Amino acid sequence: MIAPHAGNALNFQQLQALGAVNEYGSISAAAAELYLTPSAVSQQLQALASNCGFELIERRGRSVRLTRRGLALASLAEEVFSRWERGLESLAAQSDQPVRILRMGALTSAYRTWLGPVVSRIRSTTGVDMELLEVDPDKACKYLIDGMIDMAVSVRIPDQLPMNIQRFPLYSDTFKVVGGIPQPRGTGVAALSDACWVLPESRTYCHEIITAYCTAAGFSPHPIARSNDWGVIQSMAASLEAVALVPESCLSETPGLSVFDIDADELPDWPIELITRADIAHKPEFHPIHRLIAQLAPITEVL
């Protein structure tokens, strides 16, 4: 028997993980639906079981299914979610005045490449004015919780969001390998293991994506320059005869720089999403703004 942890607060993400496993019949399928790793879903279920004090799932070969009490808890969770949504809608409808100003945070690259015209369109067609702020992916969620911004265009970081933060997938931005050197004979990125690299600043999420990709290919990239601006990264790679990984939407024509021919299936991608607080997501003003952002975002693979 699992000993319960007294005083634990209700955790919507753990209940979502339970409901997804119940609906899709496996932890891996539930993880794909929730944009999480199977390990993260397993941890959510273990934490929920510890909080409840009883087992929630049982394994049958390679599949899993909910126990009797797990099924009852999943049913209760559906009721909780339904009442939560109805309550938020009711509270949003009680607003005395419509929102006239929304504060948006976004990646520097989004402002530089496509978001500026979208903001102009939002202001001209919805009557809602905007305040803008550059926000790194690592800080976007904190700024939302602290009330510094109302929504953010950001990279999907594989962390569980607080229950009052909602996410809306926009598109998936595949990285491309660019270089100020001739393309190597090899077809994979491992052929660039001896090259000099231009990387984002260390301890940023962009840096983690790129270094993890290179590590999986069997090498650690040797940096000779760093920047958090994708345009500057491309200029550095051209002038230093180095290579870099750059999101496709941020590619620019740079003299002396080539895009290397590497199979897209072998390249990492950068899931971009719109995140906002639940109180903003339920306001009527949010829906046309979300629709415009989704329609006018770069035309890449939609998540």
Side-chain angles (χ1 to χ4, degrees):
M1 172 67 72
I2 299 174
H5 289 226
N8 278 359
L10 175 66
N11 187 305
F12 275 28
Q13 284 71 40
Q14 293 172 4
L15 294 177
Q16 286 176 333
L18 181 69
V21 170
N22 183 40
E23 181 175 356
Y24 295 99
S26 74
I27 289 177
S28 58
E33 177 66 18
L34 296 173
Y35 297 101
L36 295 172
T37 63
S39 175
V41 171
S42 294
Q43 290 173 12
Q44 291 287 351
L45 294 176
Q46 290 170 6
L48 181 59
S50 178
N51 190 25
C52 294
F54 50 79
E55 299 289 350
L56 299 172
I57 62 172
E58 55 186 7
R59 297 191 176 275
R60 293 295 180 90
R62 295 184 177 181
S63 64
V64 297
R65 72 176 187 180
L66 270 58
T67 63
R68 178 177 56 83
R69 285 184 288 189
L71 287 169
L73 182 60
S75 178
L76 176 60
E78 287 188 20
E79 181 180 348
V80 169
F81 291 142
S82 178
R83 295 187 63 181
W84 174 262
E85 290 294 329
R86 291 198 302 270
L88 286 177
E89 290 174 2
S90 176
L91 289 172
Q94 296 175 17
S95 300
D96 295 328
Q97 298 292 334
V99 174
R100 306 316 306 173
I101 297 178
L102 284 174
R103 298 159 297 174
M104 172 181 284
L107 302 160
T108 303
S109 56
Y111 283 129
R112 186 184 296 275
T113 56
W114 65 272
L115 192 54
V118 177
V119 171
S120 297
R121 181 78 172 272
I122 290 171
R123 296 179 68 231
S124 65
T125 60
T126 67
V128 175
D129 210 345
M130 308 288 290
E131 292 181 359
L132 307 179
L133 181 70
E134 288 185 52
V135 176
D136 293 334
D138 304 313
K139 298 177 181 177
C141 190
K142 182 179 185 303
Y143 282 13
L144 283 168
I145 295 171
D146 291 346
M148 297 175 61
I149 56 176
D150 299 310
M151 63 181 67
V153 174
S154 186
V155 179
R156 177 187 291 275
I157 295 180
D159 292 337
Q160 200 74 27
L161 292 179
M163 69 178 186
N164 66 325
I165 302 297
Q166 296 189 10
R167 62 192 347 157
F168 300 88
L170 294 176
Y171 60 94
S172 185
D173 204 354
T174 301
F175 278 74
K176 298 294 184 181
V177 181
V178 299
I181 59 175
Q183 173 150 339
R185 293 182 179 180
T187 58
V189 73
L192 298 168
S193 59
D194 294 330
C196 294
W197 284 74
V198 182
L199 298 176
E201 296 286 349
S202 59
R203 296 186 298 277
T204 63
Y205 185 55
C206 304
H207 179 267
E208 291 178 7
I209 291 175
I210 294 171
T211 54
Y213 169 65
C214 293
T215 299
F219 71 98
S220 296
H222 170 62
I224 59 170
R226 293 186 182 273
S227 173
N228 288 333
D229 186 304
W230 297 114
V232 173
I233 284 177
Q234 292 171 83
S235 296
M236 287 177 168
S239 59
L240 295 175
E241 297 183 340
V243 297
L245 273 164
V246 178
E248 184 175 8
S249 69
C250 300
L251 290 176
S252 59
E253 291 188 12
T254 304
L257 194 72
S258 301
V259 179
F260 290 169
D261 184 18
I262 293 180
D263 189 348
D265 291 339
E266 299 180 4
L267 294 166
D269 59 16
W270 211 26
I272 307 297
E273 63 186 7
L274 179 68
I275 56 176
T276 187
R277 295 190 307 276
D279 63 300
I280 296 296
H282 285 85
K283 291 185 179 295
E285 295 86 354
F286 173 76
H287 301 292
I289 291 173
H290 171 218
R291 184 168 58 252
L292 283 170
I293 291 174
Q295 289 175 347
L296 301 177
I299 302 175
T300 58
E301 180 184 354
V302 177
L303 294 169

